[in-house]
Amino acid sequence: MKKAIILGVSIFLFCACVTSNKVKTDKSAIRKEVNTLLVNWHKAASDANFKEYFRVLDSTAVYIGTAAEEIWTKEQFANFSKPYFDKGKAWSFKTLERNIYMSESANIVWFDELIDTWMGTCRGSGVLEKKEDSWKIKQYVLSVAIPNDDIQAVIDIKKKNDAIFLKRY
């Protein structure tokens, strides 16, 4: 009886350790998978590959641009972007660093990235959801990174346009 209990406990502990290591491995693999997806997504824009770029966006995706009024559905963003892709030159974002986080169940991932763009240094952030066997971008937010020492000059420059925009509210 004692041997059976020891054997049972040993098997339980072994299974618990294997499961624990599997979760860590899976999360690491998920980070790699999501990182690759994002690298390829940015490359699709750089290569003006419209189909591949928009394939990654979920049907309910939202793209939030740098201007206050830029909150687009996938369809709106595709319509806005298509002329750039059709000319063979969309945009090129070079990732400088990226952090990837995930939910406990590992089916929701969010990230932030520092990127070099035609606008200078920007910050991108987003949310992905795993649907069936593929990741889809649910939301992407692009922000222009402004050094704290320069913020007052930017505030002064945009004051007039902000006043016009805020009349909507």
Side-chain angles (χ1 to χ4, degrees), residues 3-67:
K3 287 182 181 180
I5 292 172
I6 291 173
L7 179 62
V9 169
S10 297
I11 291 172
F12 173 77
L13 291 173
F14 175 76
C15 289
C17 289
V18 169
T19 302
S20 175
N21 287 338
K22 185 174 188 266
V23 170
K24 288 179 185 171
T25 302
D26 286 349
K27 288 193 175 192
S28 176
I30 288 168
R31 281 187 182 89
K32 282 184 178 180
E33 187 178 349
V34 167
N35 187 62
T36 299
L37 178 142
L38 293 170
V39 166
N40 290 336
W41 186 56
H42 287 318
K43 185 176 181 336
S46 182
D47 294 344
N49 186 337
F50 183 86
K51 183 178 177 183
E52 186 60 26
Y53 185 84
F54 284 93
R55 179 192 64 78
V56 177
L57 293 176
D58 187 73
S59 61
T60 63
V62 175
Y63 191 102
I64 301 172
T66 57

Side-chain angles (χ1 to χ4, degrees), residues 76-111:
Q76 290 167 330
F77 188 54
N79 290 337
F80 166 81
S81 302
K82 185 118 175 63
Y84 296 99
F85 281 84
D86 288 348
K87 289 178 185 170
K89 187 170 174 35
W91 48 86
S92 182
F93 293 173
K94 179 185 173 203
T95 304
L96 304 172
E97 71 178 27
R98 178 178 292 129
N99 298 298
I100 299 172
Y101 313 92
M102 69 192 71
S103 65
E104 198 61 38
S105 61
N107 68 328
I108 302 286
V109 169
W110 58 98
F111 67 94

Side-chain angles (χ1 to χ4, degrees), residues 1 7 19 34 48 65 90 93 104 120 122 140-142 146 154 166:
M1 179 71 172
L7 179 62
T19 302
V34 167
F93 293 173
E104 198 61 38
C122 289
Y140 188 77
V141 180
L142 179 62
I146 302 168
V154 173
L166 291 171

